[in-house]
Amino acid sequence: MVVQGRAEDFTVTRLNGHPAFAAADRVESEMLRAAGLDEEHRPSQDRLSPTTFHVAVDRSGRPVAAACSTVGSLPELPIGLALRSVDIEVTDQEPVPGPVCELVSIAADRSAGGRGVTEALYRSFYQQARIDQARSLVVGVDPWLSDLLIEQYGVPFTILGPSFELLGRELLAIGGRLSHLEAGIAANAPEFFSFLRESDAHLNWR
């Protein structure tokens, strides 16, 4: 078991896909055929939000945490839909112009060793946002986690609206331009910024 809880104790693998996965693709084809509609011009072909699963394993190879991210226009992303459901106006303009990368969910085994595994997932999410050429990042978090990310990690997130309840949890939607977030972290938490940029040397860091 990992006891140190350092990010270095975990390896994160990213698995990329599309909302129209194989099983859903088959169902869609069957429905289109049954309705006598053209299968070549299916509704799913216009979806522009590829999904990435981030899976963290410890040194023994045991999966201990996972996250999911997606990229697209904010009004069409899960957090945008949640905000719209409580009558909060959502646009694809400032302060989070698209394309936007959203950290949709994150979960970790409590025995995995503390904050290190979540930091490894944060790094994977950030690097995937760069790979996807996102202009902005967003995430829905508990209010206390918003404070932690801003105060301890130096991430200058903007609160995008009042808190709202989703599945019994009070959440805040936070986000910002990627360039603004990077500049803030670099100034406020340079060690964490260096950590975020590790491992993916092939990225075109600016």
Side-chain angles (χ1 to χ4, degrees), residues 32-163:
L32 289 170
R33 282 196 298 270
L37 299 176
D38 183 1
E39 288 185 60
E40 289 188 14
H41 300 92
R42 57 184 62 207
S44 65
Q45 71 182 9
D46 294 326
R47 289 185 227 154
L48 300 176
S49 297
T51 298
T52 299
F53 298 96
H54 310 253
V55 182
V57 300
D58 63 17
R59 289 181 176 178
S60 71
R62 179 176 66 106
V64 292
C68 173
S69 66
T70 187
V71 63
S73 170
L74 180 60
E76 299 172 357
L77 294 180
I79 194 67
L81 296 173
L83 290 171
R84 289 164 61 189
S85 73
V86 292
D87 298 323
I88 296 173
E89 183 180 358
V90 178
T91 71
D92 199 20
Q93 304 300 320
E94 296 293 353
V96 283
V100 178
C101 191
E102 177 184 351
L103 182 59
V104 179
S105 62
I106 185 169
D109 186 333
R110 290 183 181 274
S111 69
R115 235 167 46 181
V117 66
T118 56
E119 290 179 340
L121 290 173
Y122 290 155
R123 176 169 63 190
S124 181
F125 164 64
Y126 165 67
Q127 294 180 349
Q128 187 63 43
R130 291 296 305 267
I131 291 169
D132 288 334
Q133 299 183 330
R135 295 177 65 196
S136 304
L137 303 181
V138 295
V139 61
V141 297
D142 298 296
W144 67 265
L145 183 53
S146 172
D147 293 338
L148 177 70
L149 291 170
I150 293 170
E151 295 172 10
Q152 292 195 26
Y153 286 90
V155 189
F157 279 124
T158 297
I159 296 175
L160 304 178
S163 63

Side-chain angles (χ1 to χ4, degrees), residues 6-17:
R6 300 172 304 171
E8 292 79 5
D9 294 315
F10 307 98
T11 300
V12 179
T13 298
R14 291 191 288 262
L15 308 171
N16 294 297

